[in-house]
Amino acid sequence: MIQYIIRRVLYAFPLLLGVNILTFVLFFVVNSPDDMARMQLGHKHVTEQAVENWKRQRGYHLPLLWNAEASRASKVTETIFFQKSVGLFWFDFGISDSDRRNIGADIKQRMWPSLAVALPTLVLGLITNICVALLMVLFRRSYLEFGGIVLCVVLMSVSSLFYIIGGQFFIGKLLRLVPISGYDESLQALKFIALPIAIGVLAGIGSGARWYRTLFLEEVEKDYVRTARAKGLSETQVLFRHVLKNAMIPILTGVVVVLPLLFMGSLIMESFFSIPGLGSYTIDAINSQDFAIVRSMVFLGSVLYIVGLLLTDISYTLVDPRVRLS
Amino acid sequence: MVVLWTDALVFVLLFGMSVLSVYMLSNPRMRRPLRQIGASKTGMVSLTVLLFFVAVGLLDSIHFHSKDSNEIVSVLDQWLSPIRLQGEKTYSAPFAAHLFGKELMVLEDGSPVWAYPRLQYGGAHLDDPESELFYDVLMKASIGFIKSAIPAAIVLVLLGKKFLHRKNALISQASAKAVAWTVFWIVVLCGTLLELSSYYHVLGTDKVGEDVLYQATKSIRTGLVIGTLTTLIMLPLAIVFGILAGFFRGWVDDTIQYLYTTLNSIPSVLLIAASILVVQIYMAKNEEQFTSLIVRADMRLLFLCMILGVTSWTGLCRMLRAETLKLREMEYVQAASALGVRRRIILFRHILPNVMHIVLISVVLDFSSLVLAEAVLSYINIGVDPTTHSWGNMINGARLEMAREPLVWWSLTASFLFMFTLVLAANLFADSVRDAFDPRRMG
């Protein structure tokens, strides 16, 4: 087990290196640092000197991959690729391009609001989806199930933007139950995050409940369920004791993959509700064309995804004793 | 005649789809699943709605230089030119005869007054809008209804007499009737809207006074292009890599797995954002290549499709790899290789046709999520060009007016209705395609 984990962690390095090279090519080879400087400083009326200063301040004045002027080892280290990539591996993200703040400190601070919205959304969404799906399976081949399926397809077909706009309008503006947007420290935050969480859960029901329903239905047809019914268990007992337990394996492992990514937050949710999390941080970076932040977030996202994959494999062994890692 | 890049690709895609459907119709193996789709009423009705959207999108994909102004316009623009050109000054509500906001006006005797000015085109033929408006709208709507309903009914009844009682048809009678009704209502709806549109702004006007109905109709093409061209770009990657990885295993498999895990591990929104930033810089650098606004917007749309294609092939690739791994151990493949059939032939004859159902299902399923993704991406400013008509841009523009009192609701409603119809139809059609082609669901 430990051996397996170590091997997987080692396997993560080539992946992260690949991610790094890809973003490097996108940001520095396709565009030169000069282009970035011009983009930040404005296109037209900008002097060579200003561009040079901008680059020097942010360390973009070095050669891309190979510094011929430097001596020995620093031929490799005194380059943009080395300087801007190596730090990422121990989460030293450097400073942002536009307002020169420490990216690592910003991320640490903004992680928690993201989590405060994303985690309850995930948990509540999971519970709701399972309940809805179980209800549909319990009343299968009835009008209730048919209505449920139709409702799911309808809910699926609405863009998530409309859920947010509609929720903000009806609950925030007309009924004035909660503030439309904003965030606060500690428990005061509850009234701000209630609406985003509710909307997140609602927006996920359509696809989530439908997907779980197919999982449950596959399980309901199996032999052991028939045996359980033959023993005289009632339909609800069969569903909760047998079907739910076994269908939880794919559901839980599907959830584990996204667990680490919860830190990244949801882009649109956070920016609509002005929650100072990592999602809105990313959007701001995209809008102000801050390559340093975008690159750090790409790296962070990849790390979290790989951690998620590892956790999935481990969770398989925990919930399903038939699976052995080798 | 001007052929934009996306236009050309749209017609390539159309050609490919026609070839595919001719192949499917002539292949006896395909008759059972096709007949199952033909028997499902919801499937056929949603297919009809989809085809209507496609027709609008195609009309909007034939561009030429307009005679009077040197703009590039499409056939749809030409056809809708009354709606396109009759712009107002700023916001006006649906079926309004007055502007939405009060303005300072000078009366005949020279005294200034705050009032709602009359619209330049909407309801301009009325003398006294307050009393006449309602009956006039009703009149115009019934005229439009009668004008379109009678020819549509006659044509449909004639067609129905000719085709409905043919034996061995793919479409069942019940769904043929449902399709006929759908066509009838679509034609009537369009006829009524067109008739009304020449007198009123049926869905109001937006901030710069452009007709919202026109905007929403133009957005159809953007949605369709993103939903389909992305697939065109993603399919070759997914199919080639997926099948090769599953069939050859060894280092080919390792490399391809590494490739898609790397791509998958990057949050797709960020990868799209990064690529769009790069495209923006490239366009700013080579401004001389993009002569007109529409060419520039078109280029960005194409880039967006490519980027979405590159980020979205991994899922299908993984599925195809798993399926190929399973297939290559099947007896008939083993038999073929034992008989000395070349590997290339095995790939084309035995593996490829047997994974096609997965490809088909995932293409139809992906379509609706891509249309929805466009709106979200436009909201983060990494979607289509701000000058392109798209539902995402419409929502984005209207969102800023949410705080306004009274509410400007028509842009949001229009984009909601159009998007919802398209995505719902796509989802329902995808369901019936999946039911017909997925071997696990046959029963």
Side-chain angles (χ1 to χ4, degrees):
Chain A
M1 182 80 170
I2 306 263
Q3 236 183 0
Y4 175 80
I5 294 174
I6 292 174
R7 212 172 55 229
R8 285 293 297 264
V9 171
L10 288 180
Y11 182 64
F13 274 97
L15 281 177
L16 289 174
L17 197 67
V19 171
N20 233 320
I21 291 174
L22 190 74
T23 49
F24 178 77
V25 169
L26 267 180
F27 289 161
F28 296 108
V29 179
V30 180
N31 304 287
S32 62
D34 282 27
D35 296 330
M36 278 159 54
R38 293 227 163 75
M39 198 99 183
Q40 289 279 335
L41 299 169
H43 282 296
K44 297 273 152 58
H45 312 284
V46 58
T47 57
E48 280 300 310
Q49 190 57 44
V51 171
E52 197 54 41
N53 277 343
W54 189 91
K55 273 162 54 183
R56 194 163 286 277
Q57 275 169 3
R58 287 159 183 78
Y60 293 139
H61 60 289
L62 298 167
L64 284 180
L65 277 173
W66 184 256
N67 196 342
E69 291 163 21
S71 57
R72 283 194 205 136
S74 51
K75 270 189 197 304
V76 181
T77 54
E78 288 287 312
T79 56
I80 294 182
F81 180 69
F82 192 85
Q83 300 265 319
K84 299 283 168 193
S85 303
V86 172
L88 292 179
F89 282 93
W90 47 87
F91 300 105
D92 172 16
F93 296 113
I95 46 167
S96 64
D97 284 347
S98 49
D99 50 7
R100 313 199 34 73
R101 287 163 61 95
N102 189 328
I103 299 177
D106 273 352
I107 288 180
K108 237 178 250 158
Q109 192 194 354
R110 282 168 165 262
M111 203 161 78
W112 303 112
S114 281
L115 200 63
V117 176
L119 191 62
T121 311
L122 181 83
V123 173
L124 288 178
L126 191 67
I127 295 170
T128 327
N129 291 347
I130 289 177
C131 290
V132 174
L134 271 181
L135 270 181
M136 282 199 285
V137 174
L138 188 61
F139 292 99
R140 59 183 179 280
R141 299 196 195 95
S142 73
Y143 281 106
L144 198 73
E145 191 207 17
F146 182 72
I149 298 172
V150 171
L151 195 69
C152 279
V153 178
V154 169
L155 285 176
M156 256 170 74
S157 307
V158 177
S159 165
S160 53
L161 291 177
F162 287 111
Y163 285 111
I164 300 176
I165 295 175
Q168 276 189 329
F169 181 72
F170 287 111
I171 299 187
K173 201 172 164 196
L174 284 188
L175 303 175
R176 293 181 190 281
L177 290 179
V178 286
I180 290 183
S181 66
Y183 193 73
D184 205 346
E185 289 299 308
S186 68
L187 273 179
Q188 290 294 310
L190 204 61
K191 65 172 191 252
F192 288 104
I193 61 174
L195 186 57
I197 291 172
I199 290 173
V201 170
L202 182 70
I205 287 182
S207 51
R210 233 167 74 114
W211 162 235
Y212 293 164
R213 175 181 158 265
T214 50
L215 289 181
F216 290 143
L217 280 182
E218 255 171 41
E219 213 64 30
V220 161
E221 309 283 314
K222 288 198 176 151
D223 285 344
Y224 73 91
V225 180
R226 204 165 46 203
T227 315
R229 273 200 212 105
K231 279 195 312 191
L233 292 185
S234 71
E235 190 63 28
T236 40
Q237 275 175 319
V238 170
L239 271 186
F240 282 97
R241 291 232 190 111
H242 297 273
V243 174
L244 182 62
K245 247 188 187 169
N246 282 291
M248 277 317 265
I249 295 175
I251 293 177
L252 274 186
T253 45
V255 167
V256 171
V257 173
V258 296
L259 266 184
L261 286 172
L262 291 182
F263 284 102
M264 301 284 287
S266 147
L267 293 184
I268 45 168
M269 212 57 122
E270 287 180 15
S271 93
F272 260 103
F273 290 97
S274 15
I275 290 162
L278 283 183
S280 51
Y281 187 57
T282 315
I283 287 204
D284 292 343
I286 293 171
N287 285 337
S288 64
Q289 299 171 334
D290 193 318
F291 287 77
I293 297 181
V294 174
R295 204 152 171 251
S296 313
M297 295 307 288
V298 168
F299 189 82
L300 188 65
S302 320
V303 171
L304 293 175
Y305 177 80
I306 292 169
V307 172
L309 286 185
L310 183 61
L311 287 180
T312 314
D313 283 353
I314 296 172
S315 69
Y316 262 123
T317 58
L318 295 182
V319 291
D320 192 344
R322 284 169 302 181
V323 178
R324 295 246 187 287
L325 298 178
S326 57
Chain B
M1 189 75 182
V2 182
V3 182
L4 299 174
W5 269 102
T6 50
D7 292 349
L9 287 173
V10 162
F11 283 103
V12 168
L13 195 70
L14 186 71
F15 177 74
M17 278 192 336
S18 333
V19 170
L20 188 71
S21 29
V22 168
Y23 165 77
M24 279 171 77
L25 286 173
S26 63
N27 190 338
R29 245 171 24 118
M30 290 288 162
R31 278 194 92 74
R32 193 209 51 81
L34 284 185
R35 204 172 269 182
Q36 195 181 334
I37 297 177
S40 125
K41 262 200 252 175
T42 34
M44 287 314 285
V45 168
S46 41
L47 179 64
T48 318
V49 176
L50 279 180
L51 285 179
F52 167 71
F53 274 103
V54 170
V56 174
L58 285 179
L59 279 182
D60 204 7
S61 295
I62 307 170
H63 287 94
F64 53 89
H65 278 288
S66 120
K67 279 178 208 122
D68 20 291
S69 63
N70 207 18
E71 270 177 298
I72 299 177
V73 292
S74 69
V75 174
L76 186 80
D77 289 330
Q78 192 69 23
W79 194 35
L80 295 178
S81 42
I83 317 181
R84 179 167 63 103
L85 299 172
Q86 292 179 358
E88 307 292 345
K89 220 159 102 193
T90 177
Y91 288 113
S92 69
F95 293 114
H98 296 281
L99 271 187
F100 185 62
K102 279 187 178 173
E103 274 181 19
L104 195 64
M105 293 197 302
V106 182
L107 291 182
E108 279 168 25
D109 56 1
S111 57
V113 62
W114 271 99
Y116 298 104
R118 281 293 294 268
L119 292 183
Q120 219 176 332
Y121 299 100
H125 59 291
L126 303 174
D127 295 325
D128 178 26
E130 271 77 32
S131 59
E132 295 171 22
L133 187 81
F134 182 71
Y135 290 103
D136 192 64
V137 169
L138 224 55
M139 268 301 284
K140 295 283 183 326
S142 14
I143 291 173
F145 182 84
I146 293 165
K147 263 192 192 166
S148 51
I150 292 175
I154 293 172
V155 170
L156 281 175
V157 166
L158 288 179
L159 279 180
K161 273 218 172 109
K162 195 157 177 216
F163 290 107
L164 201 57
H165 298 291
R166 281 208 314 188
K167 287 206 174 112
N168 205 22
L170 280 175
I171 303 170
S172 76
Q173 281 223 6
S175 42
K177 261 184 205 154
V179 167
W181 274 110
T182 323
V183 173
F184 176 75
W185 284 115
I186 290 176
V187 171
V188 166
L189 188 69
C190 290
T192 316
L193 284 179
L194 269 179
E195 179 75 22
L196 280 169
S197 288
S198 38
Y199 299 98
Y200 297 98
H201 298 290
V202 178
L203 289 172
T205 53
D206 77 335
K207 191 170 187 173
V208 290
E210 201 175 24
D211 192 281
V212 172
L213 179 64
Y214 171 72
Q215 283 182 333
T217 317
K218 286 285 283 181
S219 305
I220 292 175
R221 176 177 185 265
T222 315
L224 289 176
V225 163
I226 289 191
T228 52
L229 279 195
T230 305
T231 319
L232 186 74
I233 288 155
M234 153 202 131
L235 275 188
L237 288 172
I239 294 178
V240 170
F241 283 152
I243 292 183
L244 286 186
F247 192 72
F248 288 113
R249 302 202 282 200
W251 66 269
V252 182
D253 191 18
D254 287 340
T255 321
I256 292 171
Q257 274 200 64
Y258 170 74
L259 202 65
Y260 72 63
T261 318
T262 309
L263 267 179
N264 231 4
S265 72
I266 301 177
S268 59
V269 180
L270 285 174
L271 191 59
I272 295 166
S275 318
I276 284 286
L277 284 183
V278 169
V279 171
Q280 269 175 348
I281 293 188
Y282 174 79
M283 283 185 163
K285 243 187 355 190
N286 305 309
E287 245 169 84
E288 66 282 2
Q289 279 183 23
F290 306 102
T291 42
S292 73
L293 218 57
I294 193 162
V295 175
R296 199 187 145 91
D298 183 70
M299 224 36 213
R300 177 149 167 181
L301 182 62
L302 183 63
F303 274 123
L304 184 67
C305 291
M306 283 191 201
I307 295 158
L308 280 171
V310 169
T311 53
S312 61
W313 61 273
T314 50
L316 180 59
C317 181
R318 197 173 6 197
M319 270 192 278
L320 289 179
R321 174 178 168 271
E323 188 69 17
T324 315
L325 276 178
K326 214 163 65 192
L327 284 179
R328 75 191 294 273
E329 302 302 327
M330 293 283 218
E331 275 106 357
Y332 68 90
V333 178
Q334 302 276 319
S337 55
L339 285 172
V341 181
R342 264 178 298 167
R343 287 205 287 196
R344 192 154 36 110
I345 307 288
I346 294 183
L347 273 181
F348 276 105
R349 282 267 175 78
H350 300 291
I351 307 274
L352 190 63
N354 286 305
V355 297
M356 267 336 229
H357 67 276
I358 299 182
V359 175
L360 190 71
I361 293 167
S362 91
V363 164
V364 198
L365 278 180
D366 279 353
F367 175 80
S368 52
S369 58
L370 284 168
V371 175
L372 291 177
E374 183 272 328
V376 173
L377 292 180
S378 297
Y379 167 74
I380 324 176
N381 285 329
I382 54 173
V384 294
D385 195 79
T387 58
T388 311
H389 289 289
S390 86
W391 293 311
N393 281 338
M394 281 173 74
I395 299 171
N396 211 359
R399 189 179 53 91
L400 301 171
E401 303 293 332
M402 285 298 284
R404 204 176 157 128
E405 226 28 271
L407 191 73
V408 179
W409 50 269
W410 43 90
S411 276
L412 281 176
T413 317
S415 50
F416 172 77
L417 282 179
F418 275 73
M419 223 163 126
F420 180 68
T421 317
L422 178 62
V423 174
L424 185 64
N427 276 337
L428 290 174
F429 183 62
D431 273 1
S432 65
V433 167
R434 190 166 53 176
D435 286 343
F437 282 93
D438 193 342
R440 279 191 305 173
R441 292 184 174 225
M442 287 174 194

